[in-house]
Amino acid sequence: MFKLLRYLKPDAKNIIAVVMLALVESAASLALPYLMSFIVKNGINALDMRVTLYAAGAMVVMAAIGLAAGIISYKISSGVLSRYSRTLREAVFKKVNTLNPDQLNHWGTGALVTRSTNDIGLLEECASFLMRGVISIPILVFGGGVLAFLADPWLALIMFTFVPVVVAVLYLVVRRIMPLWEKSDEYIDKQNSIIRERLTGIRVIRAFNREDKECERANEATRIMAENIIKANVNMGILTPLILLGLNMVTVLIVLVGAELMQSGKSAVTGADIIAIVQYVGLVMNGIMMFAMMLAFLPKVVVNSRRINEVLETEVPAEPDDADTADFSGGLKFNHVNFAYEGAAENALSDICFEIQPGEKVAFIGGTGSGKSTIVRLIMKFFTSGEGEISFDGRSINDISGKKVRDNVTCVLQNATIFSGTIRSNVRMAAADADDAAVYDALTVAELKGFVDNLENGLDYEIQSGGTNLSGGQKQRIAIARALLKKGSIYLFDDSFSALDFLTESRIKEKLNKKLEGRTRIIMTQRASTAAACDRIFVLENGRIAGSGRHDDLLENCRQYREIYESQTGSRASEGGVG
Amino acid sequence: MRRFRSPDKMTGTERKGIMKRLMKETGRIKWGMVWVCVLSAVSMTANLIAPKYLSDILDTLNAYNGEGNLLSEIGNALILLTVVYALYSVIMYFRMLLSNKVVSRHFTARLRMDMSTKIKYLPVSYVDKTDAGQMLDRMTADVSQMGNSIHAIIETLLMGILQLIAITVIIFTINWVLALIVIAFVPMSVVLSYIFAKRSEPYYDKMFKASGDIYQTVEETYSGYQTIKSYNLESLQEQKLKMHNDAMCSSQTRATFMSSMVTPLVTFSNNLAYVLICLIGAYFAIKGTSVGGNVVSVADIVAVVIYAKMFSSPLEQIANAISSLQRVASASKRVYEVLDEPEMDVQTDVMPENVKGVVDFEHVAFSYNPENPLLKDVNVHVEAGSKVAIVGPTGAGKTTVVNLLMRFYDPQSGRILIDGTDTKTVSRESVRDCFSMVLQDTWLFGGSVYDNIAYGKEGVSREDVERAAIAAHADAFIRMLPDGYDTVINESVTNISGGQKQLLTIARAFLSDKPLLILDEATSSVDTRTEVLIQKAMDDLMKNKTGFIIAHRLSTIVNADVILVIKDGDIVESGTHKELLAKNGFYAEIYNAQYKFA
């Protein structure tokens, strides 16, 4: 939890100022009971109104100092904390942007979003509490202690014997609560994942009429969660009454022993001293109560800091600085490339070799799990590990930065993300300076112009977050239009037509052929009709290249390709096949 | 906890209505609350008596001049004080225990279960429109907020007010002049708190807005990371975040400063009261003036000081409780919105038994929104045991047919009949009981592979499940999983591919053996070779069943008994593959598009 404190460094001076101011504030608040006991002793008991007036004047001054110190320290600390959370958010966000897909999947985007927002918010709230607590608690406890000591060392000693008892109690309670909180967190997660499943899988659940069972499952998790929260709170709740009881008993003891001392004359302690000490006990009590409350925060702070720090400390390989090097001409080579995902037993790609010339149009065909998407991820340099060599125009991908690669390779992903904003902002993401004519041009190729023309706001049509007000096919077509506005010498299509019907697909492809003439095109597909239109076809099966060549050659020589073709055209299954 | 979401705007009357309802809702825990109040009253009394005893004892000590037995003089009072202190702590503990149980078990948990149960009765259309994350947010964070507010109402608002009254009475009996000083400073604290709360409000609004923007940017960037990376948009997104982050930082600095100003200011006003009490008290004591018939003693001053300190804490707590109540209005609104959603109508009649599978669409019209009619006037008759393929361009409404058949949605007009029974007149459950279904959207829940397949039917044996898996060609890959059929599928299903997921859902459909079958893009993620194998199994599965098949891949449907071609809300063509090709219409156009090889 201390590692995240490094982000407070730029504000070190301000933090020191806050500490000093809090010191002043606490000292001022300690001065008040001291001055009051002074009034009792030297004013009231001595019947001296002048001394009383002076002391009261001093009290007002102290209160004013406390006020000023308080306001200034709040002014500074609110800035420090806001900046702290801003810095943390930015750091986590930037870090996540450099992670590779494996690392992202390790946590899941949902968890990363929580870490970047709510976790930091919570941490900041705790930090504000801790910052004031860390300063004022010792001052209250030790200041009160010293003042009590000055009033009468023996009586002060009674107070201090109590401190270790409090610490022991706190320790025991916190140790008991920790597992309970963990357990309730576990059931919160469980409840949430069941509810999430019930919402996302509503059709399946209802189709099987399992709604009652699912509901009972969720309620059970809620019930267990509530019981654990109650248990934790009950354990935690014993702290306040227990500490109060202890401190009140200390007061009683001080009065008793004080009276004994006064009566026996063993000590010069006076009634005014005892009045003062009782008030100091109150201050020390405040300090200890604040400490107990801080401890209640502690488990959450520790967990949150660990979660945030985990992300920040993830190692990301360094990238070469090659902003000024030449752009690609469109040549791509895979030389005996092997690749396995983290934790996977088998290779996703084995011994992949191919060479694509600039301007060529090739297809990779294969079913799910055949390795098409993995090839895309390697070309895009989403992953860096793996054996063998990938090179662009003879330059190894390891010597090229990811940014450079992605500047030159344009990719239309199967599940392209549509961002909140307008159609215009989504299409020209990669070309902020493109005018509406260019946007319309791209939309025409993507067969989406008709749709946009029918919209009331046209290009300004507001797209909701996640593109929920668009169909799957419309999203894919926006992604295609988006890619057309991005420059590049290599274009990758990763099953980018899967949500489109064949009619729309064929129209788009016709226009794409004209538009991208002369650029290298790599098309990942499951459809033989798509592959057949390419210069060369690579057939992928289980991460290996099972064959390559033109459509007709493959039909003759490659069993896997023939099977795919036949299954799709139905030339065996039915008599109506097309040759 | 700070919420990363923009605030809801609410009118005054709306807020009032919601608060009224929240209060009414606490009726379900009224007895628990009554007990909590009783215990609170007792512990409060103990807390209030204690300073009085203590100040009397201290006064005796202060007045001690070295003669007499001091210990016996204060002995009884000291014992009494000890008892009061002990009582205070014990009752405080029990009160906390009780209020905790009452609120957590009978309010918060109940509310969560109510919401969870509500989901059962919500129409699919509502769930389709609703973001799961938002729903979860309402169930967890918003309900927590409501629970905290109920706590605040019991603990502080109610007790705080009582305590204020009691303290006022006590200090007036001690010394009315000093009491007046204490009371005189109350409005000052209240006014200060109010002013700064009001002034911080616009900054809080800005802050919530910014935090909502931050959340959206982060969520969008992370879930779209592949797209972001492909287009080198990291720095663009970082700029976007920086903008919202800066807005957040500056509004947050101001908001927290404004609201935290209250603390030092209220402390100052309390300290002024403190000084005045000391000064005026000392003046009375030195002059020997009597107020209300009693000579002012040091004990009086000490007592008033202690009570004055007690005065400020309930005041501050009440202020906090009121502000938390204001925040709870938006949380309650979001929770009540879910609970108030109109529920589906319920039919008690059920489908007749032994459904053969004759399906009729009679003048069926449907749209998700009125401007965009999806089905205008669909009329179809499907014989029992026939295979129906539904074909059409993207967005033509193919999946809608499934939604209507399964009664996930009901048509706006027209009827759908199964074996002559209008499905709208019988319960949804009994309609769905006639169908097996495999959807494009493979849905697996957190559980073992076995559980996921067995989901289709209750009380099945291991052999049944394995047989279904074999039929769906899923057995081979399942056996290769680390724990075979017992492999647990977690939320981020990484060990199973999209195609394998689909095989599992197909196995699930094999297991549930129903007279009607729906395959909506059932094999879209299965590779073509596996598809050929599954297709054979599917043919077996579909024997003697009425089947509805939706697929882009025409090869899947060439063997259908009837092909329905949907376009622009109507069935434009129907017939067998051969008939439609011969017709050379829209179907032929789609078909040729697929096989127009370059």
Side-chain angles (χ1 to χ4, degrees):
Chain A
M1 69 181 274
F2 298 108
K3 282 177 180 161
L4 292 177
L5 291 179
R6 65 180 180 271
Y7 291 95
L8 280 170
K9 233 181 199 166
D11 263 320
K13 272 187 197 151
N14 283 323
I15 291 167
I16 292 170
V18 172
V19 172
M20 302 313 282
L21 286 166
L23 216 93
V24 172
E25 198 188 350
S26 308
S29 71
L30 279 173
L32 292 178
Y34 177 79
L35 285 168
M36 185 185 158
S37 101
F38 186 81
I39 289 179
V40 172
K41 228 187 220 171
N42 304 316
I44 301 174
N45 288 356
L47 298 177
D48 191 337
M49 196 57 210
R50 262 168 62 97
V51 171
T52 308
L53 262 175
Y54 285 143
M59 281 171 96
V60 174
V61 172
M62 284 299 159
I65 291 173
L67 172 70
I71 290 177
I72 300 170
S73 86
Y74 272 117
K75 175 90 194 157
I76 300 172
S77 67
S78 58
V80 169
L81 288 168
S82 307
R83 282 192 293 276
Y84 179 55
S85 58
R86 179 179 65 178
T87 313
L88 270 183
R89 263 195 302 274
E90 204 172 286
V92 174
F93 188 76
K94 281 192 169 157
K95 185 74 190 193
V96 173
N97 273 341
T98 63
L99 299 180
N100 71 34
D102 251 357
Q103 290 167 324
L104 268 162
N105 286 337
H106 170 71
W107 286 294
T109 50
L112 284 171
V113 170
T114 311
R115 280 161 208 235
S116 313
T117 54
N118 286 321
D119 279 359
I120 290 176
L122 194 69
L123 195 68
E124 178 211 315
E125 233 165 277
C126 297
S128 95
F129 201 79
L130 287 174
M131 194 153 99
R132 301 199 69 78
V134 159
I135 301 153
S136 52
I137 289 170
I139 294 174
L140 283 175
V141 174
F142 287 102
V146 167
L147 284 173
F149 209 77
L150 288 178
D152 188 281
W154 288 108
L155 294 182
L157 214 61
I158 296 175
M159 186 164 84
F160 278 103
T161 51
F162 179 67
V163 174
V165 178
V166 172
V167 172
V169 170
L170 284 177
Y171 173 74
L172 287 174
V173 170
V174 169
R175 219 180 57 168
R176 276 193 63 172
I177 294 169
M178 281 286 237
L180 290 169
W181 279 127
E182 270 165 32
K183 201 158 181 199
S184 77
D185 274 353
E186 191 185 304
Y187 276 92
I188 289 173
D189 283 350
K190 195 163 179 189
Q191 172 204 275
N192 288 357
S193 68
I194 295 172
I195 298 285
R196 188 179 284 277
E197 276 171 10
R198 287 179 58 193
L199 294 172
T200 54
I202 190 158
R203 282 181 169 73
V204 178
I205 291 170
R206 292 207 173 158
F208 289 113
N209 287 328
R210 292 280 295 238
E211 196 90 86
D212 286 331
K213 280 238 165 62
E214 294 293 330
C215 185
E216 193 30 58
R217 221 154 64 92
N219 287 351
E220 185 57 30
T222 306
R223 216 169 287 137
I224 297 175
M225 171 178 117
E227 292 310 315
N228 277 296
I229 292 176
I230 291 172
K231 251 192 226 162
N233 280 339
V234 164
N235 275 291
M236 195 73 208
I238 204 165
L239 271 187
T240 312
L242 209 61
I243 293 172
L244 273 178
L245 183 68
L247 283 160
N248 282 332
M249 289 303 121
V250 167
T251 306
V252 169
L253 216 64
I254 285 174
V255 170
L256 188 69
V257 175
E260 218 299 302
L261 288 174
M262 277 173 75
Q263 192 174 12
S264 63
K266 276 180 217 152
S267 150
V269 70
T270 64
D273 288 334
I274 296 174
I275 292 175
I277 291 175
V278 167
Q279 292 203 45
Y280 297 141
V281 170
L283 286 175
V284 172
M285 181 150 83
N286 264 338
I288 293 179
M289 291 297 288
M290 277 169 76
F291 184 59
M293 275 161 72
M294 259 172 63
L295 273 187
F297 268 104
L298 207 61
K300 287 223 155 111
V301 175
V302 171
V303 171
N304 271 15
S305 320
R306 198 186 298 142
R307 283 155 56 121
I308 295 168
N309 209 40
E310 249 173 28
V311 177
L312 286 172
E313 289 194 337
T314 311
E315 274 187 46
V316 177
E319 292 254 72
D321 177 28
D322 56 0
D324 299 327
T325 54
D327 282 331
F328 302 171
S329 68
L332 171 66
K333 190 177 172 187
F334 269 54
N335 194 10
H336 300 287
V337 172
N338 291 314
F339 182 82
Y341 287 102
E342 214 180 271
E346 281 175 46
N347 274 357
L349 293 179
S350 310
D351 199 33
I352 299 288
C353 286
F354 61 81
E355 189 167 2
I356 298 169
Q357 302 303 326
E360 237 191 322
K361 181 179 166 194
V362 303
F364 285 84
I365 191 166
T368 38
S370 62
K372 298 189 308 260
S373 292
T374 309
I375 292 182
V376 170
R377 287 175 193 152
L378 288 179
I379 296 176
M380 295 302 284
K381 213 184 172 186
F382 289 155
F383 290 97
T384 44
S385 49
E387 295 162 31
E389 199 187 47
I390 302 169
S391 55
F392 294 97
D393 303 336
R395 274 159 72 195
S396 165
I397 198 167
N398 296 329
D399 303 331
I400 310 172
S401 69
K403 184 175 184 311
K404 188 83 191 173
V405 170
R406 290 166 214 140
D407 265 341
N408 284 278
V409 183
T410 301
C411 177
V412 185
L413 294 157
Q414 185 177 6
N415 298 312
T417 309
I418 302 300
F419 298 90
S420 57
T422 61
I423 292 190
R424 182 188 292 109
S425 73
N426 262 287
V427 172
R428 53 175 213 191
M429 280 196 85
D433 50 349
D435 56 11
D436 279 3
V439 172
Y440 270 119
D441 188 41
L443 285 171
T444 310
V445 175
E447 282 281 312
L448 209 58
K449 188 164 181 299
F451 167 73
V452 175
D453 283 343
N454 278 331
L455 294 170
E456 203 180 314
N457 302 327
L459 290 180
D460 290 314
Y461 180 69
E462 284 283 341
I463 296 172
Q464 284 158 18
S465 180
T468 44
N469 54 344
L470 293 173
S471 76
Q474 284 161 349
K475 282 193 255 184
Q476 262 188 353
R477 283 178 282 171
I478 286 185
I480 292 168
R482 182 193 285 165
L484 288 172
L485 285 184
K486 181 176 173 288
K487 68 181 175 73
S489 49
I490 300 176
Y491 284 78
L492 267 173
F493 296 89
D494 184 9
D495 255 333
S496 336
F497 309 101
S498 61
L500 302 176
D501 58 275
F502 282 98
L503 199 59
T504 313
E505 182 189 340
S506 74
R507 284 185 191 145
I508 294 176
K509 277 196 285 200
E510 211 168 294
K511 292 185 196 139
L512 275 180
N513 275 341
K514 283 189 202 127
K515 186 91 187 166
L516 297 178
E517 185 71 58
R519 324 262 184 108
T520 306
R521 280 152 289 169
I522 302 168
I523 296 153
M524 305 292 170
T525 185
Q526 300 199 27
R527 297 176 179 176
S529 60
T530 305
C534 294
D535 301 335
R536 258 194 309 160
I537 302 166
F538 295 93
V539 184
L540 282 174
E541 191 183 49
N542 297 329
R544 290 174 185 279
I545 293 182
S548 67
R550 295 188 59 88
H551 171 69
D552 298 331
D553 307 335
L554 284 171
L555 217 46
E556 223 164 282
N557 303 322
C558 181
R559 174 183 57 83
Q560 288 88 344
Y561 186 77
R562 203 161 47 236
E563 279 175 5
I564 292 170
Y565 175 79
E566 281 166 0
S567 79
Q568 290 180 1
T569 57
S571 57
R572 282 237 180 109
S574 81
E575 308 300 308
V578 187
Chain B
M1 199 172 97
R2 175 164 309 113
R3 314 292 306 288
F4 276 79
R5 187 167 54 199
S6 48
D8 301 86
K9 289 273 167 243
M10 234 186 284
T11 61
T13 37
E14 204 182 345
R15 186 189 295 273
K16 245 187 213 158
I18 286 166
M19 294 314 288
K20 239 188 201 163
R21 177 157 171 196
L22 181 63
M23 292 301 118
K24 227 176 116 188
E25 202 104 341
T26 52
R28 57 161 76 158
I29 53 169
K30 62 170 175 278
W31 285 113
M33 279 176 73
V34 167
W35 275 111
V36 170
C37 288
V38 170
L39 286 179
S40 300
V42 176
S43 82
M44 185 188 79
T45 316
N47 193 24
L48 290 178
I49 299 173
K52 181 84 186 98
Y53 285 136
L54 184 62
S55 75
D56 282 346
I57 294 169
L58 291 176
D59 196 35
T60 315
L61 292 185
N62 194 39
Y64 183 64
N65 51 12
E67 288 160 27
N69 191 340
L70 189 55
L71 282 181
S72 65
E73 254 177 76
I74 60 165
N76 282 341
L78 211 53
I79 290 168
L80 218 59
L81 184 65
T82 312
V83 172
V84 170
Y85 276 149
L87 205 67
Y88 175 55
S89 277
V90 170
I91 293 171
M92 185 190 204
Y93 177 67
F94 279 110
R95 185 196 60 176
M96 184 278 310
L97 208 110
L98 188 64
S99 76
N100 207 321
K101 276 188 184 163
V102 167
V103 175
S104 295
R105 187 177 296 153
H106 301 293
F107 185 80
T108 324
R110 277 275 296 277
L111 206 53
R112 291 201 171 108
M113 290 188 210
D114 284 352
M115 291 180 82
S116 158
T117 310
K118 178 79 187 184
I119 296 175
K120 282 205 290 194
Y121 304 110
L122 287 172
V124 175
S125 58
Y126 176 82
V127 178
D128 280 349
K129 278 188 312 216
T130 311
D131 178 57
Q134 260 190 25
M135 188 72 147
L136 286 175
D137 217 27
R138 290 174 195 217
M139 263 189 82
T140 50
D142 286 336
V143 172
S144 288
Q145 176 108 59
M146 289 171 77
N148 290 342
S149 294
I150 300 292
H151 246 297
I153 292 168
I154 306 175
E155 296 274 313
T156 44
L157 210 57
L158 230 56
M159 285 302 116
I161 291 168
L162 269 179
Q163 202 171 346
L164 282 185
I165 296 169
I167 295 173
T168 312
V169 172
I170 294 176
I171 50 174
F172 268 97
T173 62
I174 297 173
N175 185 317
W176 65 267
V177 178
L178 298 184
L180 277 180
I181 298 172
V182 176
I183 304 297
F185 276 88
V186 172
M188 195 163 151
S189 305
V190 173
V191 168
L192 281 174
S193 306
Y194 180 78
I195 290 174
F196 282 95
K198 256 281 170 288
R199 286 192 62 178
S200 65
E201 223 167 67
Y203 294 113
Y204 272 115
D205 280 352
K206 270 190 203 156
M207 187 182 105
F208 284 130
K209 168 88 177 61
S211 71
D213 290 339
I214 287 175
Y215 189 89
Q216 197 183 15
T217 310
V218 168
E219 159 48 76
E220 203 166 74
T221 310
Y222 293 179
S223 54
Y225 71 94
Q226 283 206 340
T227 309
I228 300 274
K229 282 202 160 164
S230 307
Y231 287 84
N232 285 326
L233 294 172
E234 291 99 327
S235 58
L236 190 82
Q237 293 299 104
E238 274 159 23
Q239 273 168 27
K240 212 169 168 185
L241 181 89
K242 190 175 173 352
M243 190 177 80
H244 299 315
N245 215 357
D246 286 345
M248 170 99 181
C249 183
S250 70
S251 55
Q252 189 187 8
T253 305
R254 291 204 175 85
T256 46
F257 174 58
M258 286 290 171
S259 54
S260 57
M261 281 281 277
V262 176
T263 316
L265 281 169
V266 168
T267 311
F268 181 65
S269 120
N270 287 339
N271 284 338
L272 282 187
Y274 187 11
V275 174
L276 267 180
I277 293 165
C278 286
L279 188 63
I280 293 174
Y283 176 79
F284 287 147
I286 292 166
K287 294 281 178 219
T289 320
S290 66
V291 173
N294 292 317
V295 178
V296 178
S297 69
V298 171
D300 294 344
I301 304 171
V302 172
V304 174
V305 164
I306 293 174
Y307 283 117
K309 277 192 174 161
M310 287 184 150
F311 214 88
S312 68
S313 82
L315 264 184
E316 210 171 293
Q317 282 170 348
I318 289 171
N320 282 341
I322 289 172
S323 77
S324 111
L325 279 182
Q326 271 171 350
R327 261 176 283 137
V328 87
S330 348
S332 314
K333 185 187 168 196
R334 286 189 290 266
V335 170
Y336 290 144
E337 262 172 13
V338 174
L339 291 176
D340 291 346
E341 265 307 309
E343 297 182 358
M344 298 179 287
D345 47 339
V346 175
Q347 290 80 25
T348 45
D349 288 348
V350 294
M351 286 290 295
E353 280 183 35
N354 297 323
V355 170
K356 289 200 289 292
V358 184
V359 178
D360 283 281
F361 279 61
E362 289 181 356
H363 303 290
V364 171
F366 178 79
S367 68
Y368 294 101
N369 62 56
E371 300 123 56
N372 186 13
L374 216 50
L375 300 180
K376 285 175 196 154
D377 182 30
V378 172
N379 291 287
V380 179
H381 173 77
V382 177
E383 285 299 335
S386 59
K387 279 197 272 174
V388 183
I390 303 164
V391 178
T394 322
K398 298 189 297 280
T399 299
T400 307
V401 174
V402 176
N403 280 333
L404 295 177
L405 275 173
M406 298 287 285
R407 281 202 70 195
F408 292 139
Y409 286 79
D410 282 328
Q412 269 97 23
S413 66
R415 304 194 298 167
I416 295 171
L417 307 154
I418 296 177
D419 283 9
T421 306
D422 183 352
T423 56
K424 229 176 182 173
T425 62
V426 291
S427 78
R428 288 182 175 76
E429 286 76 17
S430 71
V431 172
R432 289 168 193 158
D433 251 345
C434 305
F435 286 93
S436 296
M437 181 181 76
V438 183
L439 294 182
Q440 181 179 22
D441 179 18
T442 56
W443 181 83
L444 301 175
F445 66 94
S448 68
V449 168
Y450 179 88
D451 293 337
N452 265 288
I453 297 176
Y455 203 73
K457 211 173 182 181
E458 270 175 57
V460 289
S461 68
R462 185 107 189 168
E463 287 72 38
D464 292 334
V465 169
E466 287 179 14
R467 209 174 301 127
I470 291 167
H473 295 271
D475 184 66
F477 92 80
I478 294 172
R479 288 188 189 282
M480 278 165 70
L481 292 173
D483 296 313
Y485 280 86
D486 298 318
T487 306
V488 172
I489 298 168
N490 48 22
E491 229 174 315
S492 53
V493 195
T494 41
N495 43 349
I496 295 180
S497 75
Q500 288 168 337
K501 276 197 242 173
Q502 219 153 30
L503 292 183
L504 288 184
T505 61
I506 292 170
R508 190 189 277 166
F510 264 107
L511 194 60
S512 84
D513 191 26
K514 304 287 171 60
L516 289 126
L517 179 71
I518 289 176
L519 304 172
D520 184 3
E521 299 282 353
T523 54
S524 62
S525 298
V526 176
D527 65 76
T528 30
R529 293 181 62 206
T530 313
E531 195 190 344
V532 174
L533 298 172
I534 296 175
Q535 202 60 56
K536 285 172 194 150
M538 292 257 198
D539 289 342
D540 296 340
L541 178 67
M542 275 196 280
K543 245 172 223 154
N544 308 319
K545 285 190 175 70
T546 312
F548 291 86
I549 310 153
I550 296 172
H552 286 316
R553 227 177 250 157
L554 290 179
S555 56
T556 342
I557 45 185
V558 282
N559 293 332
D561 297 316
V562 193
I563 298 170
L564 304 177
V565 185
I566 299 189
K567 192 193 172 197
D568 300 331
D570 283 314
I571 293 185
V572 289
E573 287 172 20
S574 67
T576 63
H577 176 68
K578 274 187 183 168
E579 286 165 15
L580 290 176
L581 273 191
K583 208 170 167 189
N584 206 16
F586 188 59
Y587 179 81
E589 197 185 341
I590 299 175
Y591 185 76
N592 289 329
Q594 184 180 358
Y595 301 109
K596 194 165 69 184
F597 283 20

